[in-house]
Amino acid sequence: MPHPVISANHVAVITGGASGIGLAAALRFAEAGMKVCIADLGDDRLKAAATKLSSAAPGGAADIMTAAVDVSRADAVAELEASVARKFGGTDILMNNAGIQPGSAMFGPADNWQRILGVNLWGVINGTQAFAPNMIKRGRPGLIINTGSKQGITTPPGDPAYNVSKAGVKAFTEALQHELRNTDGCRISAHLLIPGFVFTGLTARGRTEKPAGAWTSEQTVDFMIGRLEANDFYILCPDNDVPRALDERRILWAAGDIVENRPPLSRWHPDYGDAFAAFVKGK
């Protein structure tokens, strides 16, 4: 059985909902009879997604809403919240999922860093600050799901702006859940979605066929829904290449850099390669 909030006539809002994980989630919510709003950029993409969602929703197009929103703009996200309230009466599930990964360099253009942080981190902050107060005020059970990344936990070299944004999402969502569970009368819980390798437009990089190691967006969302039912906060997704046990060893090693006073990112340091390999094997 799905989480009780994923129920007919409840309302879900998904940013970055026109494709990938966001669209897969929107389809699952629509199939469950929920009223769904997807927010994204690109009129053609939103229109195509709305057609798919209308076909999946028992109530048809009347239960589907789209909005062109730049989540890095707090005023635009606040207007989204107000629009959803006017059309559907409020929000039961907020999925802050919008994200970009154009690539970055440590000393790359400041505009690139600002755009990545604006969408990936400020989009989550703006969404939460716009929606959460009224979600709490309604007194109904609800979910806030923020899409993070394993790169925000193990922070591998190569894309520092993306890592910083997703590390921020992790810290923000942890603080959010603490705040929610200590707010009198609050029936909202927060959850951090941590996808594995998922084949989406964000990760395709010119490929037209899903790599064998990747999950589909639908697999990822089905896993997420199952872990929401179990009330997991950290929804750590495997994929076809990386099982949970390997993720756990990588995460523990990253934390161990501090505890053991190793160099940062020692997993990629030549002096620690053999030690990391042994650690992964449990030696």
Side-chain angles (χ1 to χ4, degrees):
M1 294 294 293
H3 192 285
V5 178
I6 305 173
S7 299
N9 297 316
H10 288 185
V11 178
V13 177
I14 302 111
T15 66
S19 63
I21 292 172
L23 180 57
L27 283 165
R28 290 289 186 269
F29 295 153
E31 290 164 355
M34 297 188 72
K35 302 177 190 299
V36 176
C37 172
I38 56 169
D40 213 319
L41 292 175
D43 291 344
D44 290 344
R45 297 170 67 245
L46 283 166
K47 184 176 179 180
T51 299
K52 293 179 181 179
L53 292 169
S54 298
S55 297
D63 286 346
I64 304 302
M65 173 182 173
T66 66
V69 178
D70 178 353
V71 297
S72 71
R73 291 178 48 213
D75 59 339
V77 180
E79 176 54 34
L80 172 66
E81 193 278 336
S83 297
V84 173
R86 285 193 296 269
K87 183 172 178 64
F88 292 141
T91 300
D92 300 291
I93 296 178
L94 170 65
M95 188 170 179
N96 289 308
N97 172 75
I100 58 173
Q101 192 176 12
S104 66
M106 183 60 67
F107 306 111
D111 287 350
N112 194 39
W113 276 76
Q114 289 168 357
R115 182 60 183 158
I116 292 167
L117 291 170
V119 173
N120 295 0
L121 178 55
W122 275 105
V124 172
I125 297 170
N126 290 337
T128 301
Q129 292 185 338
F131 280 83
N134 284 335
M135 291 176 70
I136 295 168
K137 190 181 299 182
R138 294 176 83 203
R140 293 160 55 123
L143 304 171
I144 297 174
I145 306 161
N146 295 335
T147 301
S149 171
K150 294 174 187 179
Q151 285 183 231
I153 302 172
T154 58
T155 61
D159 198 350
Y162 185 81
N163 292 355
V164 168
S165 71
K166 291 300 185 177
V169 170
K170 172 183 176 290
F172 177 82
T173 310
E174 289 168 338
L176 172 63
Q177 175 59 4
H178 176 80
E179 183 85 11
L180 294 173
R181 69 178 180 237
N182 287 285
T183 298
D184 289 342
C186 179
R187 303 176 70 190
I188 311 299
S189 61
H191 304 266
L192 182 67
L193 174 63
I194 312 167
F197 179 21
V198 185
F199 185 59
T200 68
L202 195 70
T203 63
R205 295 186 174 89
R207 293 172 292 200
T208 56
E209 294 187 8
K210 183 184 78 66
W215 268 14
T216 64
S217 296
E218 292 75 16
Q219 283 176 292
T220 302
V221 169
D222 288 344
F223 183 88
M224 177 190 80
I225 290 172
R227 299 326 301 169
L228 287 170
E229 180 190 353
N231 200 35
D232 287 1
F233 172 82
Y234 298 101
I235 303 176
L236 181 63
C237 304
D239 54 47
N240 293 333
D241 276 346
V242 181
R244 182 180 177 95
L246 179 53
D247 274 328
E248 289 175 351
R249 300 303 278 177
R250 289 173 172 175
I251 291 167
L252 286 169
W253 181 272
D257 281 352
I258 301 171
V259 177
E260 302 295 333
N261 197 26
R262 295 189 295 250
L265 304 185
S266 68
R267 177 176 151 194
W268 295 274
H269 191 295
D271 293 349
Y272 292 88
D274 291 343
F276 172 70
F279 180 80
V280 166
K281 294 177 181 177
K283 297 180 180 178

